[in-house]
């Protein structure tokens, strides 16, 4: 893991500012707090705009692009507090966490000017177009193709599991811009920014096992994408995606999706009487360890260091913890006589969501391979 540093007094002050902000929200927004997995499914534009007004979106974007030029550790503190409160942050989450750093590193000046100020203002929302039908987590098997045309590209293919695609303005798509080379399956891939209201884009709902709609299938039929929306160099898509995944895999959303369930259960006498203190302490210790690991990766990203292996480790351990916690509380709540409460409702949702915790951002099976290679074990 990267070098650990203690949290500064300034970061502690910022953490307190976020808590006070949450406590003083108007009633219409306070009722939106307290959910499970809200970074994926809690879509509330009014809440996003309120965060933007405080300067808590686009925190690491330079001022020249409408951002606030703050550090990754400052962003970590803000996002951790929001996630711990179960805040509805899904609208801006992908754009702020992943797309903005990618555009800063690989985007053209034109595309930075087009998207970054809108992201920082909480007015532009993104999805991710990586997964495809029958591909699983094997991104090298991407079949969506982009062909060169005058002034840009035409893109055809199907993307799957695009969170928020029915509400977002655009997504960042991994596409094949050169024929598959069997000797190097990751070659010939590129990233394009596709606006989801462009002609030829069809966004279709995918309803989850819990009856919720946040995933989508996005069908692209000869969609024109202008040259300046090619992200980075043609053919460098795989390298860019793997660097981008450090932001996606290491954040506190990988272990705080069920934090509100944990708090609710520990305050619920009907549950507390069914669990041993040592079991509660064990879960709390896992949470504290993940907090320190994730914060260490945020510090590494701030220093511009590669963090793909440590980020993969945070995701594997974090999403396993989230699922274990949901099942542990669900079993405890279920065995309490007459318990049919908010705790049980949150626990049920957490259990239903458990497969999604480990699937999105790369399955644990794939990530264990990443970790093994990083440690020189394969």
């Amino acid at each position: 893991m990267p070098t650990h540093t203690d949290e500064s007094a300034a970061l502690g002050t910022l953490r307190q500012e976020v808590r006070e902000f949450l406590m003083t929200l108007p009633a219409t927004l306070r009722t939106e707090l307290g959910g499970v997995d809200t970074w994926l499914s809690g879509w509330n534009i009014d809440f996003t705009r309120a965060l933007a007004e405080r300067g808590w979106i686009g925190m690491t974007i330079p001022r020249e692009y409408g951002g606030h030029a703050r550090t990754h550790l400052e962003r970590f503190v803000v996002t951790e507090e929001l996630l711990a409160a179960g805040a509805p942050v899904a609208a801006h989450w992908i754009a702020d966490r992943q797309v903005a750093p990618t555009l800063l590193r690989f985007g053209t000046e034109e595309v930075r000017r087009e998207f970054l100020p809108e992201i920082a203002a909480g007015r532009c929302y993104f999805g991710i177009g990586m997964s495809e039908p029958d591909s699983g987590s094997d991104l090298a098997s991407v079949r969506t193709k982009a062909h060169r045309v005058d002034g840009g590209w035409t893109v055809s293919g199907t993307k799957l599991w695009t969170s928020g695609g029915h509400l977002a303005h655009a997504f960042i798509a991994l596409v094949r811009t050169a024929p598959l080379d069997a000797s190097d399956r990751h070659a010939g891939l590129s990233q394009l920014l596709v606006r989801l209201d462009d002609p030829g884009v069809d966004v279709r709902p995918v309803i989850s096992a819990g009856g919720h709609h946040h995933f989508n299938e996005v069908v692209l039929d000869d969609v024109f994408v202008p040259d300046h929306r090619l992200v980075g160099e043609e053919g460098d898509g795989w390298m860019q995606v793997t660097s981008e995944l450090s932001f996606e895999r290491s954040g506190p959303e990988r272990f705080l999706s069920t934090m509100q369930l944990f708090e609710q259960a520990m305050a619920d006498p009907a549950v507390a009487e069914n669990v041993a203190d040592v079991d509660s302490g064990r879960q709390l210790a896992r949470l504290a360890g993940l907090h320190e690991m994730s914060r260490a990766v945020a510090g590494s990203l701030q220093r511009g260091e590669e963090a793909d292996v440590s980020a993969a480790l945070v995701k594997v351990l974090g999403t396993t913890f989230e699922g274990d916690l949901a099942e542990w509380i669900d079993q405890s709540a279920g065995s309490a006589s007459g318990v049919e409460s908010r705790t049980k409702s949150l626990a049920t949702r957490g259990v239903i969501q458990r497969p999604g915790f480990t699937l999105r951002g790369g399955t644990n099976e794939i990530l264990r391979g990443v970790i093994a290679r990083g440690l020189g074990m394969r």
Side-chain angles (χ1 to χ4, degrees):
M1 290 299 297
T3 303
H4 172 272
T5 56
D6 291 334
E7 188 164 291
S8 68
L11 290 177
T13 300
L14 178 59
R15 194 178 287 281
Q16 187 59 36
E17 286 179 22
V18 181
R19 292 176 182 175
E20 291 173 359
F21 163 79
L22 293 170
M23 292 175 62
T24 56
L25 283 171
T28 52
L29 294 181
R30 277 191 62 79
T31 57
E32 297 292 315
L33 303 178
V36 165
D37 208 26
T38 52
W39 67 271
L40 183 71
S41 56
W43 193 289
N44 187 304
I45 292 174
D46 290 335
F47 189 85
T48 287
R49 298 280 171 81
L51 291 179
E53 289 174 4
R54 295 296 297 257
W56 290 340
I57 299 177
M59 292 180 70
T60 59
I61 296 175
R63 295 188 189 283
E64 63 184 293
Y65 299 116
H68 305 282
R70 301 186 78 166
T71 68
H72 286 283
L73 285 169
E74 288 177 305
R75 182 181 180 277
F76 176 87
V77 163
V78 171
T79 56
E80 190 173 54
E81 289 299 321
L82 295 173
L83 292 165
V89 295
H92 63 273
W93 194 258
I94 301 300
D96 186 48
R97 175 191 70 181
Q98 195 163 336
V99 174
T102 297
L103 297 189
L104 285 169
R105 187 171 178 184
F106 302 112
T108 62
E109 184 64 17
E110 186 175 359
V111 87
R112 291 177 185 173
R113 299 283 177 191
E114 179 179 1
F115 287 105
L116 292 179
E118 290 297 293
I119 290 174
R123 294 193 295 259
C124 182
Y125 316 127
F126 266 81
I128 297 174
M130 290 191 192
S131 299
E132 296 190 0
D134 305 320
S135 287
S137 292
D138 180 15
L139 294 179
S141 65
V142 160
R143 290 177 293 182
T144 297
K145 295 179 180 176
H147 297 281
R148 270 281 186 196
V149 296
D150 187 23
W153 306 80
T154 57
V155 186
S156 293
T158 301
K159 294 295 181 180
L160 192 59
W161 310 120
T162 300
S163 299
H166 56 307
L167 300 169
H169 299 100
F171 76 170
I172 184 166
L174 183 68
V175 302
R176 187 159 289 287
T177 49
L180 177 65
D181 178 354
S183 64
D184 185 1
R185 298 172 66 243
H186 295 122
L189 295 170
S190 303
Q191 285 185 296
L192 295 172
L193 297 180
V194 181
R195 284 198 174 271
L196 295 175
D197 60 353
D198 275 347
V201 178
D202 185 11
V203 181
R204 303 169 179 173
V206 176
I207 306 302
S208 70
H212 302 285
H213 176 204
H214 48 82
F215 291 124
N216 297 274
E217 179 184 64
V218 181
V219 179
L220 307 167
D221 183 12
D222 279 339
V223 177
F224 175 73
V225 179
D227 272 330
H228 73 274
R229 292 197 190 135
L230 170 69
V231 180
E233 298 296 326
E234 180 182 345
D236 282 352
W238 180 252
M239 177 275 291
Q240 293 169 199
V241 163
T242 52
S243 65
E244 171 185 321
L245 287 173
S246 296
F247 294 96
E248 180 179 358
R249 291 171 173 163
S250 64
E253 69 269 31
R254 298 307 181 184
F255 57 92
L256 289 177
S257 296
T258 49
M259 183 63 198
Q260 279 294 301
L261 167 62
F262 198 11
E263 284 192 11
Q264 174 70 32
M266 293 304 95
D268 188 339
V271 175
E273 67 182 18
N274 288 319
V275 300
D277 288 346
V278 66
D279 291 331
S280 304
R282 186 175 291 116
Q283 302 294 354
L284 188 60
R286 292 173 71 184
L287 179 63
L290 286 161
H291 158 78
E292 294 298 340
M293 292 172 67
S294 182
R295 195 161 66 86
V297 176
S300 178
L301 294 173
Q302 180 63 36
R303 296 189 293 273
E305 301 169 356
E306 295 294 332
D308 54 335
V309 175
S310 51
L313 189 60
V314 170
K315 183 178 181 294
V316 170
L317 296 177
T319 56
T320 301
F321 163 74
E322 291 178 317
D324 289 350
L325 184 72
E327 290 193 0
W328 173 63
I329 294 174
D330 184 60
Q331 292 167 5
S332 302
S335 62
S337 175
V339 172
E340 189 58 49
S341 60
R342 176 170 168 74
T343 306
K344 184 66 177 176
S345 174
L346 289 175
T348 299
R349 181 165 171 76
V351 170
I352 291 173
Q353 291 295 98
R354 175 164 200 171
F357 295 159
T358 56
L359 283 173
R360 54 204 186 211
T363 66
N364 283 356
E365 289 75 14
I366 292 289
L367 295 182
R368 289 189 183 103
V370 171
I371 295 166
R373 280 193 296 275
L375 296 177
M377 299 170 66
R378 57 180 293 192

